[in-house]
Amino acid sequence: MLLSSRRRLRAALLAAASATLVAAALPSPTPLGIGDPLFPHLGNPGYDVVSYDIALTYNGTNTTPLDAVTRIDAVATQRLDRINLDFTHGTVSEVVVNGLPAEFATAGEDLVVEPAVALQRGSQVRITVAHTSDPRGAASAGGWVRTGDGLAMANQADAAHRVFPSNDHPADKAYFTFRITAPSELTAVANGLAESKHRNGTTTTWSYRTTHPMATELAQVSIGSSAVVNRQGPGGLPVRDVVPAKDRDRLEKWLAKTPGQLEWMAEKAGPYPFETYGVLVADADTGYELETQTLSLFERSLFTNPAYPEWYVDSIMVHELAHQWFGNSVSPRTWSDLWLNEGHATWYEALYAEEKSGHTVESRMREAYKHSDQWRTDGGPPASPKPPAPGKKISLFRPVVYDGSALALYALRQTIGKEAFEQLERTWVSEHRDGTATTADFTALASEIAGRDLSVFFREWLYGQRTPAMPGHPDWRTTAPKQAAAR
């Protein structure tokens, strides 16, 4: 559906160019996608993003839109008369492509850009979009999260384009630079390493840059009355935690755990894959924690609610940390590969709880096995999940992609042995570092390391409608699933 249209005149010297005649013959703008089975209109064909440079200006209130400029450097992978970007929930005032004003319109949740000169395959393109970025709206939709003292981001699964124009799919990772201007009494942080900080009267501009490519869903910007706590991790890794300034001392007990958790994960999966890490504690009730790259997002209540036992909080911290390897460094090629992210993060969460607190993996997996058939009925098998409920995209994150997928990894370890399983894990993140990978890539590597064909095992465990018998535990039983009521 065409929501709105805004046209920009081309430069006078191009008014009579043949490109104008070609553009006039183009059909009406339509939303595109790269054909992801779960999000068919997510991502866009025809180009590969190399980098984003995102400038945001925050005026001190989280109830009004931010002024923003997003610059995208990309390479065209085919001839393009139009460029589709994912973008919604903001107003675009101008688009410039390779230095020339471009026409644009919105279609569905796409910003459709018509450059003055068509792009040839293999050519470099710079797209600069002046727009607003609106933090208002339902928190469940994703994008900006309004906190008690400012803003943070939660862009999973497909909400980054509610914040900035992008090719919003993890298959197209890119480098990011953030430039954030905010009142000087506030602190702005983002993914990656700090580059500069410039004060100009009552405002300050902060600049951050990633040194590894990142999926759009993992972008993070936080603005608020924050304390930034710096320390060193293993091998001198910079560890940067960002917490509400009022809670700095109260949260130190938890912040001090991160270097040890980093060391533990590195022993399991290999060297930490990024330039920095840290915990971002937001004064907000999101209902989830999120593995934003190099700076994982946590709700404040996770650390301040006495109802949560220490071992549980520790394991949740490790869950998000494990994602830096599984999901962030190695990103899913499609959203159906989500089990590789969440299954692995849940696996290391459970393993950490076993090694540090005595809550055994076997007991957790046995309990998961009881419910696994129901989870598959409700949400589909681990590697073939059902689409999220209409209007509730976060419903994709069901139990089957967490404990149900960790259960498949447990079965794999039972089948190929602990030594081969650990070799698989380390090889997986090493071979696919900074890239994307599929379920087929994982199953092929597992068969190679095991020295035998595991295709039948994976077909049953990842795609079967019912949970197979657990190797080594023939006595484990599942509860017969209840079918959902017809609608």
Side-chain angles (χ1 to χ4, degrees):
M1 179 177 64
L2 188 65
L3 297 182
S4 65
S5 179
R6 188 181 299 231
R7 310 294 281 177
R8 288 287 178 270
L9 294 176
R10 293 179 179 163
L13 59 89
L14 292 169
S18 60
T20 304
L21 299 177
V22 173
L26 294 175
S28 298
T30 57
L32 300 177
I34 61 171
D36 189 288
L38 298 179
F39 298 101
H41 289 119
L42 197 60
N44 291 286
Y47 61 93
D48 178 27
V49 178
V50 176
S51 65
Y52 295 92
D53 188 307
I54 301 169
L56 299 162
T57 300
Y58 177 71
N59 64 9
T61 172
N62 59 15
T63 57
T64 58
L66 290 74
D67 291 325
V69 176
T70 295
R71 190 182 74 205
I72 302 171
D73 286 324
V75 175
T77 57
Q78 64 186 54
R79 176 188 164 90
L80 291 172
D81 295 304
R82 284 179 174 159
I83 308 161
N84 277 52
L85 300 171
D86 298 303
F87 185 58
T88 189
H89 207 59
T91 301
V92 176
S93 57
E94 183 180 35
V95 180
V96 175
V97 178
N98 289 340
L100 297 174
E103 299 177 354
F104 58 92
T106 57
E109 294 191 357
D110 277 14
L111 172 65
V112 184
V113 177
E114 188 176 322
V117 179
L119 305 175
Q120 300 305 311
R121 179 178 179 181
S123 64
Q124 297 181 344
V125 56
R126 172 168 288 182
I127 310 161
T128 303
V129 184
H131 62 97
T132 61
S133 186
D134 198 337
R136 298 170 297 183
S140 59
W144 286 115
V145 173
R146 287 183 285 177
T147 67
D149 58 358
L151 293 172
M153 281 187 196
N155 295 329
Q156 203 173 77
D158 72 334
H161 66 284
R162 290 177 59 85
V163 178
F164 56 92
S166 60
N167 200 24
D168 194 9
H169 193 281
D172 192 2
K173 298 168 73 167
Y175 294 89
F176 279 74
T177 297
F178 298 93
R179 309 176 198 278
I180 310 139
T181 300
S184 295
E185 65 270 17
L186 301 179
T187 298
V189 296
N191 311 87
L193 297 172
E195 279 204 322
S196 63
K197 176 184 175 183
H198 298 294
R199 182 161 184 165
N200 182 19
T202 60
T203 64
T204 296
T205 299
W206 311 68
S207 177
Y208 298 86
R209 188 185 301 270
T210 68
T211 61
H212 294 265
M214 180 171 71
T216 50
E217 51 136 347
L218 302 174
Q220 182 57 265
V221 169
S222 171
I223 308 167
S225 300
S226 305
V228 179
V229 184
N230 294 294
R231 68 188 83 221
Q232 283 194 343
L237 178 77
V239 175
R240 171 195 58 166
D241 297 313
V242 182
V243 301
K246 62 183 180 181
D247 296 317
R248 165 64 182 87
D249 294 337
R250 183 181 185 182
L251 295 177
E252 173 59 23
K253 167 187 173 180
W254 303 106
L255 306 182
K257 293 174 179 284
T258 298
Q261 293 169 349
L262 280 159
E263 186 173 5
W264 184 87
M265 267 303 304
E267 290 174 354
K268 304 298 181 185
Y272 178 71
F274 297 120
E275 61 271 26
T276 183
Y277 184 67
V279 168
L280 168 61
V281 180
D283 186 8
D285 295 320
T286 60
Y288 53 82
E289 326 306 324
L290 187 61
E291 65 274 15
T292 41
Q293 190 162 307
T294 72
L295 189 62
S296 293
L297 175 68
F298 293 88
E299 298 172 284
R300 177 180 178 271
S301 60
L302 178 70
F303 303 105
T304 59
N305 187 337
Y308 298 133
E310 184 171 357
W311 72 267
Y312 172 78
V313 177
D314 288 347
S315 65
I316 296 303
M317 292 177 71
V318 169
H319 180 109
E320 305 308 332
L321 173 59
H323 271 307
Q324 305 300 314
W325 284 260
F326 300 92
N328 294 13
S329 181
V330 185
S331 298
R333 190 78 50 80
T334 74
W335 278 105
S336 295
D337 299 310
L338 177 64
W339 80 274
L340 287 165
N341 299 19
E342 298 300 347
H344 276 102
T346 303
W347 172 256
Y348 288 103
E349 168 195 333
L351 195 61
Y352 190 85
E354 176 178 80
E355 293 189 14
K356 301 297 183 180
S357 305
H359 293 78
T360 68
V361 170
E362 182 176 319
S363 62
R364 178 166 177 170
M365 293 299 100
R366 183 168 186 162
E367 184 65 22
Y369 193 86
K370 294 178 183 177
H371 303 286
S372 182
D373 274 357
Q374 185 65 59
W375 293 341
R376 289 173 183 241
T377 296
D378 294 341
S384 185
K386 294 179 181 179
K392 297 180 180 180
K393 294 177 181 178
I394 202 170
S395 68
L396 176 63
F397 295 84
R398 307 177 179 103
V400 72
V401 304
Y402 292 95
D403 282 63
S405 297
L407 189 66
L409 293 175
Y410 178 78
L412 178 61
R413 191 178 73 162
Q414 292 287 102
T415 299
I416 67 176
K418 183 173 182 287
E419 183 177 348
F421 180 81
E422 292 177 351
Q423 181 185 353
L424 168 63
E425 296 292 273
R426 296 174 70 90
T427 304
W428 173 252
V429 296
S430 175
E431 287 192 355
H432 297 284
R433 183 177 182 180
D434 287 339
T436 62
T438 66
T439 298
D441 293 327
F442 185 80
T443 60
L445 182 61
S447 292
E448 178 185 332
I449 289 176
R452 63 184 189 274
D453 185 1
L454 296 172
S455 57
V456 173
F457 169 89
F458 282 118
R459 183 169 63 248
E460 294 176 346
W461 274 96
L462 298 182
Y463 299 98
Q465 298 300 314
R466 293 290 179 266
T467 311
M470 177 59 70
H473 296 286
D475 57 318
W476 286 14
R477 297 288 182 269
T478 62
T479 302
K482 298 178 181 178
Q483 297 296 325
R487 295 184 180 180

